[in-house]
Amino acid sequence: MTSFDTSPQLNVWRALLALAVVFVMLATTGWTALRNQRATPALQFSLSAWEHGRVAGRELPDPDSAPARLARFFTSLTADQRSALARRYPLAVGNMNGAPVELRYRANHIALLQARKAERKRMHDNRLSPAGQREAGRRMQRYAALMSPGRHILAFDPAGSGRVAEVFGDLGRAERVSVVVPGVDTNVLTFQRTYRKYSAPVGMAQSLYAAERTADPSTRTAVIAWADYTAPGGLGLDSATATRAEAGAVRLNALVRALPGSAPVSLFCHSYGSVVCGVAAPTLPGRVADIAVAGSPGMRVAKASHLGTSARVWAMRDADDWVQDVPYLELGGLGHGADPVSSAFGARVLSARDAEGHSGYFEPGTDSVRNFAEIGVGAYDSVRCAGDDEACREGLSGTTPVGRA
């Protein structure tokens, strides 16, 4: 399958840029209007039910309340009351920023069980085409895998292509938190792969988590495989514009603001995921200490200083990554701006030796994942710069203190 993350197809990209004026006109008619990612059938149904629900005679708070208010609400309940809400409104609680993470894990397990039952029925629904029945079977198997013992699903929405986020490590006790933000063609079925394992969000996060534990075994870390936004599917207008990134940035900001504790957060953004991180940067809380991008088509700004963030900005690109041939410009809403590894952009440029192309940045043993791990644990004096110089470490040493709220 042709994909912005796996196949260059640069003639198509350039053709899209050449048609920028056409797309600008389309934009004025609402063709590229921001999509409401909350209004998905099953999740919206659960949220609507929550909005009319009660517990122990009390009205339930607005699910869009600030995470701190929701956290106070859940703290005021007994364990049995919290469990009852998770059983009654599993998708609402499982995706509720501010709900205790352990409760979200339990709620999403229930939601996955319900979704798996629904897909089992769809497998035998004669109204579906054979292809539709096969897809139902694949989704049923994916949901079953996500329910496996020891998996911690922080977010789950079965609607459309599906959204999901998974935690590795103890998020509640973590001293450092890393978030992996993947790119194009990310959905519930591609969330985890056996072939090319480390090009999928689960493999990326597992590799980073292992590398962080190797880099500093004494630091408690947690890594989130965050596929909780609707990514573009393949090479096309969605991947050449910021429409999906703008909606994803809202969700990324909500995630970070709802994380428990005050541990510093590092974002590791691959390919189109770096567009999401670039758009999100100005609104992210101060606890975000680092934004690191790999194989980036651009971050929607001309310079790192224009991102409007106090976070350190890092960039890397493998010598064999085809994304270097994408035109680094923005015209009429198409393209994503300057090259993050260029000297003019002003990011701290890291070595990506041994990454082997566009999808290999999280492969174990590469400079790229080792560098990500050093950033993730705050060991900035140990990162390896591109070209083996010292430029990317200028003004940095040791670890950073806990970030501000």
Side-chain angles (χ1 to χ4, degrees), residues 97-120:
N97 291 318
V101 292
E102 295 291 340
L103 187 66
R104 290 180 68 171
Y105 298 158
R106 296 203 302 272
N108 283 319
H109 187 89
I110 297 168
L112 283 160
L113 177 63
Q114 294 175 350
R116 186 182 66 172
K117 290 180 179 178
E119 295 301 331
R120 182 183 290 117

Side-chain angles (χ1 to χ4, degrees), residues 36-39 43-44 46-48 50-51 60-71 73-74 91-93 95-99 163 250-251 254 257-258:
N36 181 352
Q37 295 198 46
R38 183 184 176 220
L43 175 55
Q44 187 59 47
S46 186
L47 287 167
S48 296
W50 169 279
E51 289 168 352
L60 302 180
D62 185 336
D64 289 327
S65 298
R69 183 189 173 203
L70 290 169
F73 165 75
F74 282 103
L91 277 172
V93 174
N95 291 277
M96 192 172 292
N97 291 318
R163 298 195 299 256
V250 173
R251 300 183 68 83
R257 290 184 179 278

Side-chain angles (χ1 to χ4, degrees), residues 113-295:
L113 177 63
Q114 294 175 350
R116 186 182 66 172
K117 290 180 179 178
E119 295 301 331
R120 182 183 290 117
K121 290 181 180 179
R122 294 181 71 245
M123 285 177 61
H124 305 290
D125 188 340
N126 293 330
R127 294 170 297 180
L128 294 180
S129 67
Q133 291 175 332
R134 287 192 296 273
E135 180 178 352
R138 289 194 296 272
R139 289 174 77 104
M140 186 189 73
Q141 292 172 357
R142 169 63 68 228
Y143 299 157
L146 292 172
M147 293 170 59
S148 299
R151 301 195 72 166
H152 300 136
I153 306 304
L154 186 66
F156 169 66
D157 183 358
S161 60
R163 298 195 299 256
V164 62
E166 183 172 7
V167 175
F168 298 89
D170 188 337
L171 187 57
R173 298 178 63 246
E175 297 170 300
R176 305 277 310 197
V177 178
S178 298
V179 182
V180 175
V181 184
V184 163
D185 285 336
T186 297
N187 54 56
V188 73
L189 291 178
T190 61
F191 184 60
Q192 184 172 7
R193 293 188 178 111
T194 301
Y195 172 68
R196 294 175 56 242
K197 173 180 179 179
Y198 300 107
S199 66
V202 168
M204 292 177 177
Q206 288 175 327
S207 177
L208 178 58
Y209 182 56
E212 287 181 350
R213 297 179 74 182
T214 298
D216 185 358
S218 65
T219 296
R220 294 192 302 271
T221 63
V223 179
I224 302 173
W226 188 78
D228 193 28
Y229 81 106
T230 302
L235 180 66
L237 184 62
D238 279 341
S239 61
T241 69
T243 300
R244 297 293 180 93
E246 288 166 353
V250 173
R251 300 183 68 83
L252 180 60
N253 187 33
L255 166 84
V256 174
R257 290 184 179 278
L259 292 175
S262 57
V265 176
S266 298
L267 306 181
F268 299 96
C269 320
H270 177 244
S271 197
Y272 189 85
S274 68
V275 186
V276 177
C277 291
V279 175
T283 58
L284 291 170
R287 68 185 293 188
V288 175
D290 305 281
I291 301 174
V293 302

Side-chain angles (χ1 to χ4, degrees), residues 13 35 157 203 264:
W13 180 269
R35 300 169 189 221
D157 183 358

Side-chain angles (χ1 to χ4, degrees), residues 358-376:
H358 189 64
S359 301
Y361 292 98
F362 290 85
E363 287 283 342
T366 58
D367 266 9
S368 48
V369 80
R370 279 193 294 265
N371 274 328
F372 282 164
E374 301 290 3
I375 292 168

